Amino acid sequence: DAGITQSPRHKVTETGTPVTLRCHQTENHRYMYWYRQDPGHGLRLIHYSYGVKDTDKGEVSDGYSVSRSKTEDFLLTLESATSSQTSVYFCAISERDRAHEQYFGPGTRLTVT
Amino acid sequence: SQQGEEDPQALSIQEGENATMNCSYKTSINNLQWYRQNSGRGLVHLILIRSNEREKHSGRLRVTLDTSKKSSSLLITASRAADTASYFCATETSGSRLTFGEGTQLTVNP
């Protein structure tokens, strides 16, 4: 987890409210990713970034948006949270290219009631 | 659908024994990676094996790759209680995205 922090670590929110999760890295890595982890589905890629202001969709991007205005920060926003977005969210970073080894943050447990 | 699927889903062994986990995938890959996740923590990268490699070692870890069978195995030798964790394979296909399996839960009993 060194060099990558996620905030908040835990959050409970109500259906319909906006939620922003933050990933912060101190490694100056170019690539950043957001995954969600759910029982029976493993890790699924939501969005990723390959540079400042450069982002792209992953496997399960519906209902999520991202922004990267600085190398060190990658924000994941749920515009209107739904119960199906209850999950553990992981941020990861990678130095060289999208498929090189990735380093993961500690995760954010989000519960939407 | 998941590209990689680990087998078995759960494995329980005694300390000192070897643990073998398998990963099968569906499409051609550029490389395959193994990660470990301790309960409540993020994933930790263990080893990467490229499609032109057949075997790779790192400490007590041995990974094999058989591209003709679209499968890989992770062997942990002389297991320790601290090896208790979930283990995931991740495959990199065209488009350079990592796709993770659902993991094998390994329990090493002291």
Side-chain angles (χ1 to χ4, degrees):
Chain A
D1 298 355
I4 311 169
T5 57
Q6 293 183 231
S7 58
R9 295 292 315 279
H10 301 271
K11 186 171 182 65
V12 179
T13 192
E14 293 184 347
T15 298
T17 60
V19 177
T20 295
L21 308 183
R22 180 183 183 232
C23 176
H24 178 78
Q25 61 146 329
T26 58
E27 306 296 324
N28 201 36
H29 283 1
R30 179 179 174 187
Y31 296 90
M32 299 185 75
Y33 314 80
W34 277 108
Y35 293 91
R36 59 178 291 175
Q37 185 176 32
D38 305 287
H41 291 280
L43 270 80
R44 292 180 291 175
L45 180 65
I46 305 172
H47 282 280
Y48 62 94
S49 169
Y50 46 96
V52 174
K53 293 187 174 21
D54 293 323
T55 65
D56 204 350
K57 296 179 180 180
E59 180 185 358
V60 289
S61 59
D62 287 349
Y64 302 94
S65 62
V66 289
S67 66
R68 190 167 179 202
S69 59
K70 299 185 290 186
T71 297
E72 57 267 34
D73 289 325
F74 192 31
L75 304 181
L76 177 70
T77 297
L78 291 65
E79 301 291 346
S80 178
T82 67
S83 58
S84 65
Q85 294 176 311
T86 292
S87 186
V88 181
Y89 291 86
F90 287 98
C91 173
I93 64 174
S94 180
E95 182 177 9
R96 276 176 261 181
D97 61 52
R98 288 173 285 177
H100 209 262
E101 52 257 41
Q102 296 184 8
Y103 303 94
F104 283 76
T108 294
R109 183 172 294 277
L110 175 67
T111 302
V112 183
T113 61
Chain B
S1 63
Q2 297 290 29
Q3 160 74 326
E5 294 185 4
E6 290 90 346
D7 171 62
Q9 288 188 334
L11 179 62
S12 181
I13 60 174
Q14 296 299 122
E15 214 166 21
E17 294 179 342
N18 295 342
T20 300
M21 288 157 272
N22 303 296
C23 171
S24 60
Y25 56 91
K26 298 172 184 172
T27 62
S28 296
I29 60 171
N30 294 326
N31 66 60
L32 185 144
Q33 303 179 37
W34 284 91
Y35 288 79
R36 182 188 75 234
Q37 183 180 33
N38 292 89
S39 180
R41 305 291 296 274
L43 277 71
V44 174
H45 181 265
L46 295 176
I47 198 163
L48 181 154
I49 186 165
R50 301 195 185 281
S51 60
N52 61 354
E53 297 176 308
R54 291 297 167 258
E55 188 170 311
K56 205 162 183 180
H57 297 254
S58 177
R60 294 183 297 111
L61 304 181
R62 173 178 169 249
V63 169
T64 62
L65 179 64
D66 187 334
T67 53
S68 66
K69 295 182 179 178
K70 291 187 170 58
S71 68
S72 173
S73 66
L74 170 67
L75 169 67
I76 303 174
T77 60
S79 63
R80 306 165 181 168
D83 294 327
T84 293
S86 291
Y87 291 82
F88 295 87
C89 68
T91 52
E92 187 255 319
T93 61
S94 61
S96 297
R97 293 183 180 185
L98 277 186
T99 303
F100 288 83
E102 295 180 27
T104 292
Q105 172 60 51
L106 173 66
T107 301
V108 181
N109 302 297

